[in-house]
Structure formats: structure tokens, C-alpha cells
Amino acid sequence: MKITSTSCICPVLVCLCFVQRCYGTAHHSSIKVTRNQTKHIEGETEVHHRPKRGWVWNQFFVLEEHMGPDPQYVGKLHSNSDKGDGSVKYILTGEGAGTIFIIDDTTGDIHSTKSLDREQKTHYVLHAQAIDRRTNKPLEPESEFIIKVQDINDNAPKFTDGPYIVTVPEMSDMGTSVLQVTATDADDPTYGNSARVVYSILQGQPYFSVDPKTGVIRTALHNMDREAREHYSVVIQAKDMAGQVGGLSGSTTVNITLTDVNDNPPRFPQKHYQLYVPESAQVGSAVGKIKANDADTGSNADMTYSIINGDGVGIFSISTDKETREGILSLKKPLNYEKKKSYTLNIEGANTHLDFRFSHLGPFKDATMLKIIVGDVDEPPLFSMPSYVMEVYENAKIGTVVGTVLAQDPDSANSLVRYFIEYNAEDDRSFNIDANTGIIKTTKVLDREETPWYNITVAASEKDNPGLLSHVAVGIRVLDVNDNPPELAREYDIVVCENSKPGQVIHTISATDKDDFANGPRFNFFLDERLSINPNFTLKDNEAAAPSPSGFVHAREMGACGPAMQKRSCPRRV
């Protein structure tokens, strides 16, 4: 289509740009474009077709990060009113106009004066206008267009969440998912492959693998054993440009720890152990420890110990220390070297938390034999009785034998035994003991009415080891003899009425005896014939009164009073 100067058309402002898809300087030629027409100056052929790929209407492109010595050519504004005589002036306004983007107001050529970063700003909105240079009147309406910052691959992929710390159970099946890592690329994902990331593993093979598209890390071997190796440092790389040569890359570290499962049974380091226990060990005390090793950790290594058989089953017991996982052996009954010098125990250690997936690796228990050697200890003398009770009569002569204690050395040496009585400083030392024979004798005359019972402590020691003592309690009962006369219970002051009848009981008297019951009551009451007897009174035994004997005093004649009696008020006789 040929346009003449007389043709009546509306003036049109055309934005013309060439998008360069590679690094380098953009080339352009003098091209006039009206709508969908393209006219080649050097050729006369006019071709109607759609715009070439890379030609964008109402849109310019500028490469980011341009580092050339000259301003980067962006594109050209052209009005069909421009005859090429310089009468048309092009004006550029909007974002970055005059600072980032400059325009030749005569030719309409636009250049970028600064290096731009697409990741900071992706596009700029500008306005173009063509005016008559002489009249300053617009030749056509203002047009809006966009300058897009075209992406280059200037950003490497980044792992924003790394480094990673993750766990996976040991013995997991091959292909078990461990973690998904994600790298981000700040480049334009809609243009080319600048932001197309591919994952690969740089370190950690052959134990782990990574899916190149999704970044999912998986186990790559069967039966990874924590007890053989627990920690792995896996390095994952993310590379853009779909992994092609020249792409940028970033990496991260994934620290993987295998967590424990119960895949190891307990094991005793030895099949036979020997333990020395002195015969003096106290019942209930811990006498030894034993431990089975388990390569697992935490609850997977918990175990309990038990005595499964042996001749010491009734003598010893075993418990489990939850903290140390040791078997604590305790004494249930006393040991006696002279009776039995050794015991044998079969001890079992078994896991308490089983994982049936690994039952084929079992059984998850182990047994060992423990021989216990009973140690001979120099024991103190042993008395023939746990306590003694002896008797001696009061008033016995000094040196009277009270009784004998006997102690022997329980050890095979059968050492000689020496005896002595342990007295406190304030004790009345009424007895002594023969150091060689254990015979106890009196050291003074005893009075039952003063002290009826004595409690003493006899100690025995070996002649060869006098510091090793044993003690026994000895109770000595003092037996009574009839060495005390009866006594009136109290002083009597008897009152009798003058009108008392003959034979009437006017008072009852009683007596006591300090001796034991066998040597005391019954008593006989009578008037002392050596003294003058008052004929007005008689005294008679109350034979029926027991166990507190008494005598009744009777009046012989009515109204008779002895000179020793005090007269008191009496009821009037009617």
C-alpha cells in the first residue's frame, strides 16, 4: 500500500523496538511501521504479514545488567507525521524518563543509561508524545508504552532454610523419604531456563539420593546401621538452566542422623564371672554388680536381670538399676563361711521393649554364670544363748556362784575367749565374772527387799583380737529368804464407846511382811503376855481374812474402857 502526501490518514505514533535474545548490541535499521505493515527501504516489495517473533507492539525490552561502555539502545519512537526535516520533537515522560531512559528528541531513539536489575524492578511505564517543534502543539495524542527489563541468568539458586538437621530410623527400607529441600531462583521463571532448577547430590552417596525435580532426599541403601555409623553430612546442589553447562548453582548441607531401633540384643561381655562376698555382709545390702552391654540407646537398651537357677537362688536376689542398666546383687540370708564357701548363680539379662520387626535377630536376651566366693571373716565370739536368766538367794555369802555364760569363736581358728562385765561408772558392781570360764559370782551380800532384779551385760572377746566383741544380756533374779518379821501396818489409835456390848468388834488390825509371799502371810495375832493385859479387851485372829491377815479386838464388858483408850462421842444408849 502506497501512501501519498495527499492521503487523508490520522497521524500515528509508532513504538518500534527490536528484542535481542542474546548478549550483544541491538541492531536496527530505519524502519517505518504503520499498524501491521512493514516497509523495507532498500526493497520495493511490500509484504503484509504478522510481526516477526521478537517484535512487540507498544512494548520495549531492555536487557538487565548491561555493562557496556555506551548507553544501551532500547528502541525508537516514530510518528508518521515526521518528514525527516526535524520539525517533529519527541518527548518522553514517566518512570525513569530523563534519568534512566533518555530520548533523542529529533530521531526518537531511546537509550538506557544505567544498568538495570529485573529482580528489583521488572518494568517501567512511560508516555511518549510528538509535538510540532515550531508551534509546540501536539501532533497526536500522548501514548503509553512499557519498557520491560528482560531477564538474564544472573541469580544462582538459593536454599533459604538450610543447613538442615533431620533424622531417619536406622534399618529403614531403601527409598524411605528423609526430607524435601527447595531452592529458589530470583530469575524470571516465565522466560527461558534461568529459573529452572535441577537437584543433584554432591556428597552423601551411596547412602542417599535426591530426586532431580522435586528435591526429595531418600535412603539409597538397605539396612543402614546406626551402630556402624550414626551421622551423615549430605551436600545437595541446585543448578539452574535445567542443569545445563553454564548454569548457576547453589548448595546446602543436610545433616542426617540415624535414630535407634531395637535391633541389638543385650550381651554379657563374659560367660563366666566370679564375685567375692565376705561372710560378714549384712542381709539386704548390695554385694556386687553385673552388666550386659546393649549397642542400642534409650528405651531400646532397657533391660531387666533375673536369677534363673543356681544353688544361691534363695540366698541372693538381683534388681535392675534403671539409670546405669546394671544388675544389683543383694544378700537375702546371712552367709557362713564355715558352712558353705561358694555359690553359683545363672543370671539372665533381657530387653524390656521388643521390636518384632527384628525378632529374627534375637533372642533379645543373654545369660551368664556367676560364681560367688564367700570370704572368711574373723567373727566375734558367739554366745550359746541369745540371753541368760540366773537366780541367787539374798543374804548369800560373797563369792556365791550365780551362773555361767559360754561363748565360742565361730571361726575355724577356734581362738580362746575372754569374758568381762560392762559396767557404767555409776553402776553398783554387785557381780564379777571369771575371764576364762565365764562364771558369774556375787561381790556383796544381796538384799531382795532392796533390789529384787539385776540386769548386766557380759562381753566376750577373742584373746588374739580383743577389739572384736560380742555382747549378751544377763538377768539375775534375787530369791527371797524369810529374813523380815511381820510389822503392824500402821500405828493404831482406837476409840471405843462406853455403851459397847460385850463381844462387839471395836477395831481390826493388820500386819505386813517385807519378805516374798511365801515367807510372809499368813500371820498369827496374839497379845504379848510379857505386857500387862487389860481384861476388858480380847484379840482374835480373823482366819477367814486372806490374803491380808487381820485381828479383831473385842470388848469384854459393856461400858468398860481401858486406860489407853480415848473416849469419844458415842451414840446414846436407849
Side-chain angles (χ1 to χ4, degrees), residues 421-430 455-457:
I421 298 175
E422 289 190 342
Y423 281 118
N424 294 323
E426 65 277 6
D427 287 345
D428 183 8
R429 304 182 178 225
S430 303
N455 290 306
I456 63 174
T457 300

Side-chain angles (χ1 to χ4, degrees), residues 423-440:
Y423 281 118
N424 294 323
E426 65 277 6
D427 287 345
D428 183 8
R429 304 182 178 225
S430 303
F431 306 92
N432 63 15
I433 190 169
D434 188 293
N436 296 315
T437 63
I439 296 175
I440 299 173

